[in-house]
Amino acid sequence: MKDKKNNIKVGFTTGDMNGVGPEILLKSFRNTELLSICTPVIYGPLKNLNYTLTHLGFEMSFNKISSAEKSKEGKINLVDSFNDAPEITFGVLNKEVGYAAFESIKMGVKDLKEGKIDVLVTPPINKEAIHSDDFPFMGHTDYIDSEINGNSTMMMVSENLRVALLTEHIPVAKVTDLITPELVQNKVNALNETLIRDFQIERPKIAILSIDPHVGDGGVIAENDKKLIVPGIKKMQDSGVLVYGPFSADSFFGSAEYKKYDLIIAAYHDQGLIPFKTLSFGMGVNYTSGLEKIRTSPDHGTAYSIAGKGVASIDSFLCSIYLAIDIFRPVSYTHLRAHETKANLVCRLLLE
């Protein structure tokens, strides 16, 4: 860990520059108080960032450097190795802009891996724009997992709710093909460790949602939960992990049952992300758990429909910055509720 007197070095990719990524990044650093708690290192083309600034109608100066190692505290540092950056056309899907997003990610992940930055915060990408022979991944998480040792899982985090997934960006038709009792055990074990290590929860309570409606209604609908979920839960319970379920997903959030747990694990993407974004949208953070390094991202996409209009909210992005800092350098606050991290408190107070 860094000396607490030194700012944490936070790397930032640009995301898809035709979306809201550069806007939320630049607007966040209009609050110069951020520079008192972190040293930003942006990986992106100066030309495009200046274009976005002009379009948004405010100014910002950058400390252009050749390497993150040359960054200076109190400055907005910029690593620009883009020889021919594509033109920005807000709200338009462009494969060249997608490739530039990949270049930014590649530089940031490399420096994160080599310890030249402490944490990485990534604005949103457009998966269609970035997808190529060089980037055959489903998104940030899969690429980062391929580059940095670990067994990553996407964890969505807000002040009062954490949601993780057994399966992530896959078709619903393949969900039951991929879920096994062993997968359940591995996910629960890894996420339990994350809650203890990164969120300082001594004895986490974890809930798992069912695959089928009403947990299969005793086999009337199906027996997927009985065969795939229950054995994994029992194994983890036998090892001392406080994991419960499977719970029927249709009433779990509406009845506020989720408030009893430190983490909810959903069987598939929309089962977990729809309630999370309904309850927390605009204040949530996508945390890549299970890696040797720390990476966070806002809970929204490129938002092409509002790109370039200056109306994109920075709330989720700010929470992403604070959560990354908090996990990297935890500080004990005795007045916090058991389920609330320092990052959530700071972010909540900042936005009130």
Side-chain angles (χ1 to χ4, degrees), residues 193-206:
E193 290 181 0
T194 292
L195 292 169
I196 296 170
R197 181 187 64 245
D198 296 342
F199 294 89
Q200 294 84 56
I201 302 171
E202 291 185 10
R203 291 281 284 159
K205 291 180 64 179
I206 299 171

Side-chain angles (χ1 to χ4, degrees), residues 153-156 162-166 191 263-267 272 289:
T153 296
M154 181 173 68
M155 180 188 289
M156 305 302 294
R162 299 181 190 90
V163 173
L165 306 173
L166 286 178
L191 289 164
L263 174 71
I264 293 88
I265 302 178
S289 70

Side-chain angles (χ1 to χ4, degrees), residues 127-197:
K127 291 181 176 63
E128 182 179 353
I130 199 173
H131 197 266
S132 67
D133 291 340
D134 293 322
F135 193 92
F137 305 93
M138 293 303 297
H140 280 110
T141 303
D142 295 332
Y143 173 72
I144 294 170
D145 194 47
S146 74
E147 294 290 320
I148 297 177
N149 291 334
N151 183 19
S152 68
T153 296
M154 181 173 68
M155 180 188 289
M156 305 302 294
V157 180
S158 69
E159 181 181 347
N160 298 311
L161 178 61
R162 299 181 190 90
V163 173
L165 306 173
L166 286 178
T167 62
E168 297 183 1
H169 296 108
I170 64 165
V172 174
K174 295 184 179 180
V175 167
T176 53
D177 293 335
L178 295 180
I179 294 178
T180 63
E182 291 73 26
L183 174 69
V184 173
Q185 292 175 55
N186 291 338
K187 289 281 187 179
V188 169
N189 187 56
L191 289 164
N192 186 64
E193 290 181 0
T194 292
L195 292 169
I196 296 170
R197 181 187 64 245

Side-chain angles (χ1 to χ4, degrees), residues 28 30 41 52 58-59 87 93 98 110 118 127 140 142 159 165 170 172 220 237 268 290 293 298 306 308 326 329 345:
S28 293
R30 293 185 77 179
V41 178
T52 301
F58 62 91
E59 296 180 353
E87 298 295 327
L93 188 151
K110 182 176 183 293
D118 298 314
K127 291 181 176 63
H140 280 110
D142 295 332
E159 181 181 347
L165 306 173
I170 64 165
V172 174
V220 175
Q237 288 176 335
Y268 52 92
K293 302 291 184 176
I306 61 170
D326 183 57
R329 186 176 59 191
L345 176 68

Side-chain angles (χ1 to χ4, degrees), residues 213-261:
H214 311 154
V215 199
D217 272 338
V220 175
I221 294 176
E223 294 191 341
N224 290 307
D225 293 290
K226 179 181 178 180
K227 294 179 179 179
L228 305 177
I229 302 290
V230 172
I233 290 176
K234 287 183 176 178
K235 285 280 189 180
M236 295 312 301
Q237 288 176 335
D238 291 343
S239 70
V241 176
L242 303 180
V243 57
Y244 306 93
F247 297 99
S248 182
D250 61 349
S251 59
F252 189 81
F253 293 93
S255 66
E257 186 74 9
Y258 71 92
K259 293 182 180 180
K260 299 178 182 178
Y261 299 92

